[in-house]
Amino acid sequence: MDQEQYTVADLMTNPSFRAWADQSDEKARAHWEQWLAAHPDRHDDVNTAFTLLSLLKENENGPSPEDMLEMQDRFDTALGRQRRMLLYRWTAAAASLLLLITTGILFNNRSTTIHTGIAMTKEVNLPDGSKVLLNANTTLKYKGHEVWIEGEAYFSGEHHDLKVHTGGLDVAVLGTAFNIYNRKQQIEVLLESGKVNVTGAGWAKNAGTLHLTPGEMIHLDATNKMMTRINPETFTSWKNGRLIFKNTPLYKVAAILEENYGFHVRWKSTKLQMERFSGSCPLDNTDILLAAIRSVYNDQLIVQANHTIVFE
């Protein structure tokens, strides 16, 4: 297509123009500045394209320009209109429309999946305006007001008709703060404040709905289904950048080292698995934790090559 005929949409999806907008390509900058000097009547279109690309960049979980154009096509088709994007210039009103799209207000039927890597946390803004903090090695999928979690996540903020699915449980959220843990067929739902209602085949046959109060936690694994009351501050200390253990069995400490930090743990003594450990360390410094365990248990912990830990 002749660049003189480019619309705002064409500019946004042009790789060279986007490189100029990102200030990542000197050749692209020189080309488009020369083009703009030769077409001074296109300043408004260029400024609008820059604004829209900036909105997309700020909302890293939003659609790409290509996805946005495809969604606009579907939206216009559903309303019985022809695609308007290529028929007239985008104005400042288009920026408002894009902002609505990227925040999911108009197009919340598009699912988004986010995964955190080893030793990594990430905060995500959900479409209902609430927030979720993902612990390491966690997968979050959301679509409208429904969320799926595998790993560990802490939810906070004002939730609006949010429903969280994890390991066969459905958690209906009523404006609250809570933690979900779902790893290796072990599921825990801890309520820190507010209210949640829990249902699902994973809890108990014909159990109906469970109403949790602050401090209560549901625990399910292959052999146990129980509700208990614990100190939320200790259990969710990871969200504040620390790991805190209070009389925690070593096998649970080892599980965190494996799941969150990528260690491989070997046990030469199964008796050691049930030994209790108390201590804390920064979330990003497992060396302190390993040194503390080694000190308490008389060097019965050995760190080998390839991220392997041996408990003797």
Side-chain angles (χ1 to χ4, degrees), residues 180-222:
I180 285 183
Y181 179 95
N182 176 14
R183 300 189 194 274
K184 294 184 177 179
Q185 298 183 327
Q186 178 174 300
I187 305 168
E188 292 171 339
V189 179
L190 167 66
L191 179 62
E192 187 173 78
S193 64
K195 298 179 181 179
V196 295
N197 296 334
V198 184
T199 58
W203 173 243
K205 187 176 181 180
N206 300 322
T209 300
L210 291 168
H211 309 281
L212 297 189
T213 59
E216 289 183 338
M217 182 177 76
I218 293 174
H219 172 96
L220 297 88
D221 58 35

Side-chain angles (χ1 to χ4, degrees), residues 12 17-25 48-66 68 95 98-99 101-103 122-123 125:
M12 288 180 61
F17 185 88
R18 288 163 63 178
W20 178 37
D22 289 337
Q23 299 181 342
S24 60
D25 190 320
T48 300
F50 264 61
T51 299
L52 298 176
L53 287 172
S54 176
L55 289 173
L56 285 170
K57 188 174 182 180
E58 289 175 8
N59 187 354
E60 62 182 7
N61 297 322
S64 66
E66 293 85 352
M68 182 274 297
L98 178 62
L99 182 59
I101 294 172
T102 58
T103 54
K122 182 178 180 63
E123 186 175 86
N125 294 316

Side-chain angles (χ1 to χ4, degrees), residues 293-307:
I293 296 174
R294 187 182 296 112
S295 174
V296 171
Y297 295 100
N298 300 317
D299 295 326
Q300 289 179 277
L301 177 151
I302 299 174
V303 180
Q304 298 180 338
N306 300 322
H307 236 46

